[in-house]
Amino acid sequence: METNNRVVVTVVGKDKKGIIATVSTALAERQANILDISQTILQDFFTMIMIVDLTDCPLDFVTLRDEMGQIGQTIGVVISCQHEDIFQYMHRI
């Protein structure tokens, strides 16, 4: 699988019910496939990192990023999307 179709989605905010359901549903509705997910609660703060494959997603990256950001605002969390390649290049020596 090519990494240029993969993005890292991070979600941070005050913990409350439904965050995972809302984010995963929004991604599924956009034909994005969650490949890996890690979430934790640090005191009252929810944090989640996902690796998502956008191969079948009809949206371009910028549109997806903006829509996910708006969904985050709606539920009171910050949702960020970055190309996985950025992380790969940051850790090269």
Side-chain angles (χ1 to χ4, degrees), residues 1-7 35 51-55 83-85 88:
M1 179 179 304
E2 295 183 28
T3 60
N4 62 358
N5 290 330
R6 291 166 37 154
V7 297
L35 302 173
I51 305 296
V52 178
D53 178 19
L54 300 182
T55 300
H83 286 285
E84 185 185 43
D85 291 345
Q88 299 295 338

Side-chain angles (χ1 to χ4, degrees), residues 4 14 19 33 45 67 84:
N4 62 358
K14 190 91 165 146
I19 297 172
N33 184 30
F45 292 97
E67 287 185 7
E84 185 185 43

Side-chain angles (χ1 to χ4, degrees), residues 72-85:
Q73 288 179 349
T74 301
I75 62 172
V77 298
V78 175
I79 301 177
S80 302
C81 301
Q82 294 181 310
H83 286 285
E84 185 185 43
D85 291 345

Side-chain angles (χ1 to χ4, degrees), residues 48-71:
M48 179 167 61
I49 300 173
M50 301 170 144
I51 305 296
V52 178
D53 178 19
L54 300 182
T55 300
D56 297 328
C57 180
L59 304 177
D60 62 82
F61 172 76
V62 173
T63 303
L64 177 74
R65 181 195 66 198
D66 293 348
E67 287 185 7
M68 294 306 294
Q70 291 206 345
I71 290 166

